[in-house]
Amino acid sequence: FFMEKRHESTVTSLFKKEAMKDSPNEKGAKKYRFTSEKIDWSKGSAVGYVAKYLSKNIDGKHIDSDRSTTLEGTEAAERVVTWARVNRIRQFQFIGGPSVTVWRELRRIRQDLKEDDAVFNRLDKGEWLTLENVRRAADSSDWEAFCLAMGGVFVRRNDQTVKPVYQVPTIMEKLIDEFGEEHATTLTSKTRYGDDANTRVIGVVFKAAYLATRGRQWKTENKEKFLRGTKRIMTGVTDIFEVLEREGEYQRMADEQYDQYQQYLQRVDELTAFAFDESQWPAFVG
C-alpha cells in the first residue's frame, strides 16, 4: 500500500481489526494473523518485492532455495501452485488499479466488436471505439494500453470504462403442497462447505452495452465413468437400429403406411361418389 504518512496508523489499525474479527482467540492469531512492515529502501523497492513474490509462487525461477525447506525454488513453486489449485485459492490480488476481472473477461472475446451489432445500437461511433480499444488492449496482452483505456492507473473503480457484471448463482426447487399444487422456489446455491455461493462474473458492461462472456455451465465429472456411459448408450442405440434393419422392420413399417394411404384414397373416392349420387340424397319438399 502507498499512502500519506498521516494515514499510516489509521490504515494499519483498520486492517488489523478486520483480520481479528473471526476467531480472535485462535492460537497464534495475534502473532501471525496480521503483520505489517515498512519498505526498507536499502534492501529494494516494492517492484522488486512483488517480482520475487510472483516468482516464488509461479515457477520459482531465479530463486536459489526456499528458506522454510531444503527445496530449490522451482520445486517449492510447484508445490505452492498445486496446493493453491487443489484448495481453489487465489494466489495474487492486486488492488487499486484497473479491474483484472475485466481484463480476463474481455480476453474471452476473440473477435472484433462489430459496430453494426445490435448490442451497440445505443452507442455512438466514439463510444464503440472506446469499448473496442479496451478489448483490443486486453486481447493483445498490452497491460499498459489496457490501463490507459480503462481510465488510468489512479481511476476509481466506479469511474472505470468497463465494469464486470456479477450474478448470484441460484437453483430452482419444486415443492408440492397438501393440495397437490406445485410451487417453484428459488434458492441460493451452496458451496461444498455449505455456505451460500458468492456472486459469479457473467460478463462486462459499458454504458448501455452488455457483453456476456460466460455462456456455458461446467461441472466436474469422472472421465472414465462418462466415457463408459456414453459408449454403453451409443452401443445400445446401434444395436437397436441393426436389429430393426435385419428383421425388415423398416420395410414392414413402410408397407403399413402404404396400405393406410391406399385405404385413405379409397375412402376419398367413395365420399366423392356419394356426394355426386343424387339417389343417395333425400328429397326435399319445398
Side-chain angles (χ1 to χ4, degrees), residues 85-255:
R85 289 178 178 175
V86 169
N87 293 282
R88 303 179 68 182
I89 293 176
R90 182 182 295 183
Q91 290 178 264
F92 313 106
Q93 178 65 66
F94 293 95
I95 64 174
S99 172
V100 179
T101 298
V102 171
W103 162 276
R104 290 172 175 168
E105 294 306 308
L106 287 178
R107 287 173 63 82
R108 292 172 173 268
I109 305 175
R110 311 303 298 179
Q111 303 297 328
D112 295 344
L113 303 180
K114 304 300 181 181
E115 185 180 1
D116 56 352
D117 195 306
V119 177
F120 312 116
N121 58 6
R122 300 178 65 179
L123 302 180
D124 57 35
K125 187 176 182 61
E127 292 173 334
W128 167 77
L129 283 174
T130 300
L131 177 59
E132 176 62 5
N133 284 337
V134 179
R135 190 205 65 81
R136 288 184 180 180
D139 186 48
S140 59
S141 301
D142 191 337
W143 178 254
E144 180 181 3
F146 177 77
C147 289
L148 295 174
M150 287 286 284
V153 294
F154 300 111
V155 65
R156 292 176 178 272
R157 182 55 59 96
N158 290 335
D159 298 332
Q160 292 184 8
T161 306
V162 182
K163 302 180 180 64
V165 179
Y166 296 90
Q167 183 183 56
V168 178
T170 57
I171 57 176
M172 297 296 294
E173 184 175 274
K174 285 188 175 182
L175 303 176
I176 300 179
D177 59 20
E178 58 181 331
F179 303 104
E181 297 291 336
E182 289 189 356
H183 303 278
T185 59
T186 303
L187 304 175
T188 303
S189 298
K190 300 291 184 180
T191 66
R192 56 178 174 170
Y193 303 107
D195 302 323
D196 288 341
N198 292 326
T199 56
R200 298 175 184 173
V201 62
I202 58 174
V204 295
V205 63
F206 169 72
K207 294 186 180 296
Y210 164 70
L211 300 176
T213 56
R214 296 175 183 253
R216 295 180 178 179
Q217 296 292 333
W218 301 94
K219 69 176 182 178
T220 304
E221 190 169 308
N222 182 279
K223 180 180 179 180
E224 288 73 17
K225 183 178 179 181
F226 172 78
L227 292 177
R228 285 199 305 269
T230 304
K231 184 178 180 180
R232 183 169 61 252
I233 292 174
M234 294 309 298
T235 302
V237 172
T238 304
D239 291 344
I240 291 174
F241 288 152
E242 289 178 350
V243 170
L244 291 176
E245 185 174 2
R246 186 169 59 250
E247 295 184 357
E249 184 66 18
Y250 294 133
Q251 183 65 39
R252 186 186 65 79
M253 293 168 61
D255 292 342

Side-chain angles (χ1 to χ4, degrees), residues 1-3 37-55 94-95:
F1 288 93
F2 292 89
M3 68 201 76
E37 184 179 356
K38 294 183 180 179
I39 294 177
D40 186 347
W41 298 104
S42 64
K43 295 181 179 179
S45 65
V47 174
Y49 171 80
V50 170
K52 183 177 181 180
Y53 185 77
L54 291 174
S55 180
F94 293 95
I95 64 174

